[in-house]
Amino acid sequence: MEHEIMGHTKKAIKAMRNKEHGFGEKVKEVLIEVAIIIFAVSFAAFIERTREHAKEQGEAKEFLLGLSQDIKHEEQQVNDSKKQMLKLVVDYSKLLHYNSKTIDSTEKNHIKESFTIPKFNTRPLNGRYEGFKSSGKIQTIENDSLRNNILKLYQESIPFIEFSENAFNGNETRIEGILFLGENDKATDYTPLRVIISPRGKLALTFAISYTNGVLTGYDRMIAQSEKVRKEIKKEYGE
């Protein structure tokens, strides 16, 4: 293309220097060559833009199809965490109804009761998203609804999970502290259950259950948003 442009440029210069043609004819020939050059440059730019656009759309498609699989895996992680959290609500609610007589009865009948103080650290995969975004390619997703839903998922829904889990985990650390203090209190007939049903222990359990509401809400929002994104990707590419 560059060679052709140079050729037409030379023709225009040659036409201007042609002593056999009048001024009007020279202008006409020059304008024709200039028009050809402009068309050639414009056409070359169009071809380049088309090629670049096709490349960008290919990369966007590859990204989105991969992202759909990432999100599917992330949904499974969050669903697993949700199941564990719901079980914890049941366990903690049960402990709130315990009293000394309950524990005396279980100990008398040699029934062993135990409970755990789990912490949650659900960290969905976001490497593919962060890499695509940091490369400045997120705008190559031409479907505005899909692009905005992806941004909402990774900038709102997923960060809220981390925030709510951190708040919950902070209270779990408080419960651990109550148990450790109880263990060091020699004046107390220590068992984890007896310490956890103390007023301070039950208050911490009540806080824990209240924190689970925020965590579970975050899980549900993330799942709903990720399903929305996956449906849009499937609709876009039929895969």
Side-chain angles (χ1 to χ4, degrees):
M1 183 61 69
E2 183 179 350
H3 177 72
E4 293 178 1
I5 292 173
M6 288 299 296
H8 286 290
T9 301
K10 289 178 179 179
K11 285 183 179 181
I13 295 173
K14 184 178 179 180
M16 285 297 296
R17 293 176 178 177
N18 191 337
K19 297 179 180 181
E20 296 179 0
H21 293 167
F23 179 75
E25 193 172 357
K26 289 180 180 180
V27 171
K28 181 180 179 180
E29 291 179 359
V30 169
L31 289 176
I32 291 173
E33 296 301 330
V34 170
I36 293 174
I37 291 172
I38 292 174
F39 174 78
V41 171
S42 299
F43 184 71
F46 171 75
I47 293 298
E48 179 61 24
R49 286 196 301 270
T50 301
R51 185 190 67 79
E52 186 63 29
H53 181 262
K55 179 183 177 183
E56 289 177 349
Q57 292 310 296
E59 291 175 345
K61 179 180 179 180
E62 181 181 1
F63 162 72
L64 290 170
L65 292 178
L67 187 73
S68 182
Q69 293 302 311
D70 289 347
I71 292 174
K72 186 176 181 180
H73 176 72
E74 290 162 7
E75 281 183 48
Q76 184 60 53
Q77 280 188 298
V78 173
N79 273 312
D80 290 344
S81 293
K82 181 179 178 180
K83 290 177 183 178
Q84 295 173 35
M85 183 66 73
L86 289 172
K87 181 179 183 303
L88 179 140
V89 171
V90 172
D91 291 343
Y92 279 10
S93 297
K94 180 180 178 182
L95 287 172
L96 285 175
H97 292 89
Y98 270 40
N99 53 40
S100 296
K101 290 182 179 180
T102 307
I103 296 177
D104 290 340
S105 176
T106 58
E107 290 179 346
K108 182 179 180 180
N109 292 285
H110 304 289
I111 299 173
K112 292 186 177 181
E113 289 277 5
S114 62
F115 64 94
T116 59
I117 309 172
K119 293 183 180 180
F120 291 76
N121 188 29
T122 308
R123 294 291 182 270
L125 301 172
N126 63 354
R128 190 190 304 270
Y129 163 77
E130 290 296 341
F132 197 74
K133 181 187 174 186
S134 63
S135 67
K137 297 179 180 180
I138 200 73
Q139 293 300 321
T140 61
I141 302 173
E142 296 182 338
N143 185 322
D144 291 340
S145 175
L146 174 56
R147 182 176 65 251
N148 291 335
N149 278 323
I150 290 172
L151 292 173
K152 184 175 181 180
L153 173 64
Y154 283 95
Q155 294 183 3
E156 295 180 23
S157 301
I158 290 178
F160 183 80
I161 287 178
E162 181 177 1
F163 171 79
S164 58
E165 284 185 341
N166 285 341
F168 173 82
N169 290 338
N171 194 71
E172 292 293 271
T173 299
R174 187 177 295 113
I175 294 175
E176 290 175 340
I178 291 171
L179 291 176
F180 290 142
L181 287 174
E183 185 177 16
N184 293 327
D185 187 357
K186 302 303 182 182
T188 302
D189 182 14
Y190 174 81
T191 66
L193 283 176
R194 290 187 184 279
V195 173
I196 208 63
I197 67 165
S198 68
R200 186 170 52 176
K202 285 192 173 183
L203 180 62
L205 290 177
T206 301
F207 276 120
I209 293 173
S210 68
Y211 280 125
T212 64
N213 294 329
V215 179
L216 290 169
T217 296
Y219 290 161
D220 288 338
R221 287 178 180 175
M222 184 275 176
I223 292 169
Q225 188 65 21
S226 63
E227 287 178 349
K228 186 183 297 184
V229 170
R230 288 205 297 121
K231 285 179 180 178
E232 285 195 288
I233 292 174
K234 185 176 182 179
K235 181 179 179 181
E236 188 81 9
Y237 298 107
E239 297 184 33

